[in-house]
Amino acid sequence: MEFNLIERYFAPLGAGLPAGDLGIGDDGALISIAPDHQLVVVTDTLVCGVHFPEETAAADIAWKALAVNLSDLAAMGATPLGFSLAVSLPPNLAQNEAWMSAFSQGFADLIAKLGLPIPLVGGDTTRSSLLTLTVSAKGLVRSGQALLRSSAQIGDLIVVTEQLGDAALGLLLALNRLPEDERSLLTEMQQKDAILALNRPWPQVGFAQSLFPLVRSAIDVSDGLLQDLGHLLKASSKMSGQSFGARIELEAVPCSRALRLLCDKQPDYWRLPLSGGDDYQLCLSVAPERWPQLQQLARRMGVSLSQIGQITDSGVTEVLWFGKPFSVENYHGYDHF
Amino acid sequence: MEFNLIERYFAPLGAGLPAGDLGIGDDGALISIAPDHQLVVVTDTLVCGVHFPEETAAADIAWKALAVNLSDLAAMGATPLGFSLAVSLPPNLAQNEAWMSAFSQGFADLIAKLGLPIPLVGGDTTRSSLLTLTVSAKGLVRSGQALLRSSAQIGDLIVVTEQLGDAALGLLLALNRLPEDERSLLTEMQQKDAILALNRPWPQVGFAQSLFPLVRSAIDVSDGLLQDLGHLLKASSKMSGQSFGARIELEAVPCSRALRLLCDKQPDYWRLPLSGGDDYQLCLSVAPERWPQLQQLARRMGVSLSQIGQITDSGVTEVLWFGKPFSVENYHGYDHF
């Protein structure tokens, strides 16, 4: 049965490797590798009921599982080589043709939309009582040119791509946890867009490949901006021996119009862009003298960038609303346990 | 919490990478890669209650999860580069210090015993109600020198490493499914050895790196000899356009003394070495003229080899007991669904 599943649903995803390489069908995949490069390996697991609600569409689960991995590759500045897929399936899903087709199509959709060759390079399908997926994406960077989280410097501008908080808003909507008088502020299209941001995140994998040496350090926003920026500050502090902090200008944090409406009504909704997570945008630190060139690049590539603050030597992250302190004491970000 | 788990239990496994490379601590791992090589990627998932009984010791779970991946690398003739670990943990295990320590030690034990540098290169720890591990090992082969399952030829000798069937016997013992009058045939030491074969398989990763060009094709025995040999015959048939079969001389199949005792009493116990699975030995096809040189190599490396049959053009696999047909009609091997 395993071999049927792989041949029917996953083999097409293995297309696109050069002759002599192997995607699936042997004990391992074979991928030709370039000299003077480093292999980048990233791994993310999604567990049904933990990382996505049980009723999530099969195609959305697949899209997101691959997207979050590609976002990690992007945060390293890597060019994707391929991905492996380990999926533990309850038998009722394994035997559900419509579900399996939609699931494999979810991967194919993201790859097609990105327009990059990202073949499936091996994996494992196992039986389980609980749907669990582990995607491990592989990429390449030129040796020494990976975008690390540990190389920020004091005075760097803090920059994020696109918008934050929409996926967290989408989750509130999907779980029916947005109070009715706030939901009524949003158009149907705005609600759909938020749920789309939750289910179909768009990793910055193309843009990220052009960021070296314009960007000093990078991390992707998966657990919430404040938490992920915190990891960047901690890693960079450790590397430099200094005590890094940050000043965030809240009014500059890029949000959708829908989210702005909610924040205007109730400032606690700033929790969504600051610590909601699931954004899969990049948080970059940029030397001020590189900022104009980076903006030019982003415009050319159709990526929106916002400067939201600066790295300081204060050892703490302050959030300001038009210059006045804004309390984020209870904004914790995603907790894995 | 996730970061504590990683730092406390997994960070030591990331040691041993060259300067400039990264095991864990950023969005991805960074591994320098050699020119004129192909990257080999293998992935295996173990689900609690499916691939190991719930009461399995933490160190054994870890050992086996890594060993089965290294066995796949061995079957490709690859040199290990490292492994990533995605582990979904029930909170009671994540918070159980003794369990977590033993778990990380299981990986360290296997790596130490193999005496090869196999660093942890990234991963993910997630919360789940069901313990599930996905290990994805990465290795290197010289371009074009991978041991494939699709390159056997008619007349090749079929050769296996070490012994088969002990792990399947160990599982019967562990689950208390061996009838008492058969269990009583075995010494306590023999029973312990069988359970050790189940819990601590020994991947042929060192030997496998020397097999090119002595060996024509290779697969590892994970789902049972007959099933895995069947995959090799099918892949090689497809590649050559011929219809491959095999003749197996059952008396030549290498088994422990304990297993021989059982088979002598009740021939149906041949099911264990033929289709029990979980062996993680190599099944090789070898051109007859290369066989003496391969035997020499194996002696030098302290690996036991047995020639158990030959590849034919019959399209079927016949099993013979001293020349007479032996029925294996109901020997199915491990079924993943």
Side-chain angles (χ1 to χ4, degrees):
Chain A
M1 175 67 154
E2 190 195 12
F3 297 95
N4 286 341
L5 282 183
I6 293 172
E7 267 179 39
R8 286 185 61 180
Y9 299 109
F10 301 128
L13 297 169
L17 283 166
D21 283 8
L22 274 182
I24 59 177
D26 213 300
D27 299 281
L30 282 176
I31 311 166
S32 292
I33 47 183
D36 303 321
H37 282 70
Q38 288 173 296
L39 175 68
V40 183
V41 177
V42 302
T43 307
D44 266 293
T45 297
L46 302 185
V47 180
C48 179
V50 178
H51 302 97
F52 54 86
E54 201 165 339
E55 56 275 16
T56 308
D60 290 339
I61 296 170
W63 174 298
K64 189 159 177 174
L66 180 55
V68 303
N69 273 272
L70 296 179
S71 179
D72 278 328
L73 284 187
M76 300 294 285
T79 303
L81 274 178
F83 70 104
S84 62
L85 167 67
V87 54
S88 298
L89 289 164
N92 68 313
L93 293 185
Q95 284 148 20
N96 179 338
E97 209 169 308
W99 195 94
M100 289 298 302
S101 293
F103 181 68
S104 60
Q105 193 59 44
F107 293 105
D109 284 351
L110 174 57
I111 294 164
K113 291 249 166 86
L114 286 172
L116 298 168
I118 307 177
L120 179 66
V121 292
D124 195 14
T125 61
T126 52
R127 179 165 46 89
S128 175
S129 56
L130 184 65
L131 175 62
T132 303
L133 294 82
T134 295
V135 170
S136 178
K138 290 90 177 112
L140 282 181
V141 284
R142 288 195 166 277
S143 297
Q145 300 194 358
L147 305 177
L148 304 181
R149 49 176 81 170
S150 56
S151 42
Q153 293 189 18
I154 290 163
D156 279 1
L157 308 182
I158 301 169
V159 170
V160 298
T161 57
E162 302 298 341
Q163 297 177 338
L164 302 178
D166 281 344
L169 176 60
L171 187 63
L172 288 184
L173 287 164
L175 298 177
N176 240 322
R177 291 205 190 136
L178 195 69
E180 186 42 41
D181 55 336
E182 280 149 20
R183 180 194 287 264
S184 67
L185 290 177
L186 311 179
T187 67
E188 213 150 287
M189 184 61 90
Q190 285 174 331
Q191 296 183 36
K192 275 193 186 151
D193 282 349
I195 288 176
L196 204 64
L198 173 69
N199 289 330
R200 301 237 157 180
W202 188 258
Q204 293 295 349
V205 71
F207 181 53
Q209 294 174 43
S210 310
L211 293 182
F212 184 90
L214 292 181
V215 152
R216 198 118 68 182
S217 71
I219 192 168
D220 80 319
V221 181
S222 54
D223 296 337
L225 174 66
L226 292 180
Q227 187 175 129
D228 289 311
L229 176 62
H231 296 320
L232 184 146
L233 295 172
K234 192 180 162 195
S236 294
S237 297
K238 199 172 157 189
M239 184 60 76
S240 69
Q242 297 169 287
S243 185
F244 285 22
R247 194 174 46 248
I248 301 291
E249 289 142 17
L250 189 52
E251 69 277 9
V253 172
C255 293
S256 63
R257 212 178 140 67
L259 203 47
R260 277 294 173 130
L261 275 173
L262 293 174
C263 292
D264 286 350
K265 178 156 191 279
Q266 168 53 266
D268 194 51
Y269 279 104
W270 279 109
R271 179 187 298 274
L272 303 184
L274 290 181
S275 62
D278 253 1
D279 297 298
Y280 307 105
Q281 295 300 329
L282 296 177
C283 174
L284 310 169
S285 94
V286 185
E289 65 272 20
R290 299 281 203 177
W291 178 223
Q293 215 183 326
L294 182 63
Q295 284 176 295
Q296 230 172 34
L297 173 74
R299 267 195 302 273
R300 215 168 51 231
M301 298 190 74
V303 174
S304 143
L305 286 188
S306 306
Q307 189 219 326
I308 62 167
Q310 200 156 10
I311 292 183
T312 66
D313 61 359
S314 70
V316 296
T317 295
E318 313 160 82
V319 178
L320 304 174
W321 174 251
F322 290 103
K324 292 204 182 115
F326 182 94
S327 169
V328 293
E329 227 172 305
N330 298 311
Y331 291 14
H332 294 304
Y334 185 76
D335 187 3
H336 290 261
F337 276 93
Chain B
M1 176 68 155
E2 190 193 13
F3 296 94
N4 287 340
L5 282 182
I6 292 172
E7 267 179 38
R8 287 185 62 180
Y9 300 109
F10 301 128
L13 297 169
L17 283 167
D21 283 8
L22 273 183
I24 57 178
D26 213 301
D27 299 283
L30 281 178
I31 310 167
S32 293
I33 48 183
D36 304 320
H37 283 70
Q38 287 172 297
L39 174 69
V40 183
V41 176
V42 303
T43 307
D44 266 293
T45 297
L46 301 185
V47 180
C48 179
V50 177
H51 302 97
F52 55 87
E54 202 167 337
E55 55 277 16
T56 308
D60 290 339
I61 296 170
W63 174 298
K64 189 159 178 174
L66 180 56
V68 304
N69 273 271
L70 296 179
S71 179
D72 278 328
L73 284 187
M76 299 295 285
T79 303
L81 274 179
F83 71 105
S84 62
L85 167 66
V87 55
S88 299
L89 289 165
N92 67 313
L93 293 184
Q95 284 148 21
N96 179 337
E97 210 169 308
W99 195 93
M100 289 299 301
S101 292
F103 181 68
S104 59
Q105 194 58 44
F107 293 106
D109 284 350
L110 175 57
I111 293 164
K113 291 248 165 86
L114 286 171
L116 298 168
I118 308 176
L120 178 66
V121 291
D124 195 13
T125 61
T126 51
R127 178 164 47 88
S128 174
S129 56
L130 183 66
L131 175 62
T132 303
L133 293 82
T134 295
V135 171
S136 178
K138 289 89 177 108
L140 280 182
V141 285
R142 289 197 165 276
S143 297
Q145 299 193 0
L147 305 177
L148 304 181
R149 50 175 82 170
S150 57
S151 43
Q153 294 189 16
I154 289 161
D156 278 1
L157 308 182
I158 301 168
V159 170
V160 297
T161 56
E162 301 299 340
Q163 297 178 339
L164 303 180
D166 281 344
L169 176 60
L171 187 62
L172 288 184
L173 287 163
L175 298 178
N176 240 324
R177 292 205 189 136
L178 194 69
E180 186 43 40
D181 55 336
E182 281 149 20
R183 180 195 286 261
S184 66
L185 290 176
L186 311 179
T187 66
E188 212 150 290
M189 184 61 92
Q190 285 173 331
Q191 295 182 36
K192 276 193 186 149
D193 283 349
I195 288 174
L196 205 63
L198 173 68
N199 289 331
R200 302 237 158 180
W202 187 257
Q204 293 295 346
V205 71
F207 181 54
Q209 294 174 41
S210 310
L211 293 181
F212 184 91
L214 293 180
V215 152
R216 198 119 67 183
S217 71
I219 191 168
D220 80 319
V221 181
S222 54
D223 296 337
L225 174 66
L226 293 180
Q227 186 175 128
D228 289 311
L229 176 60
H231 296 319
L232 185 147
L233 295 173
K234 191 180 162 195
S236 295
S237 297
K238 200 172 156 189
M239 184 60 77
S240 70
Q242 295 170 289
S243 185
F244 285 21
R247 195 173 45 247
I248 301 291
E249 288 141 17
L250 189 51
E251 67 278 9
V253 172
C255 294
S256 65
R257 216 180 136 69
L259 204 47
R260 276 294 173 131
L261 275 172
L262 293 175
C263 292
D264 286 351
K265 177 156 192 281
Q266 169 52 270
D268 194 52
Y269 278 105
W270 280 109
R271 180 190 298 274
L272 302 185
L274 291 180
S275 61
D278 252 1
D279 298 297
Y280 307 106
Q281 295 300 330
L282 295 178
C283 175
L284 309 169
S285 95
V286 185
E289 64 273 18
R290 298 280 204 177
W291 178 222
Q293 214 183 327
L294 181 62
Q295 284 176 296
Q296 232 172 34
L297 173 74
R299 269 194 301 274
R300 214 167 53 230
M301 299 192 72
V303 175
S304 143
L305 287 188
S306 306
Q307 188 219 326
I308 62 166
Q310 200 157 10
I311 292 183
T312 67
D313 60 359
S314 70
V316 295
T317 295
E318 313 162 83
V319 179
L320 304 174
W321 174 250
F322 290 104
K324 290 199 183 121
F326 182 94
S327 169
V328 293
E329 227 171 305
N330 300 311
Y331 291 12
H332 293 302
Y334 185 77
D335 187 2
H336 292 260
F337 277 92

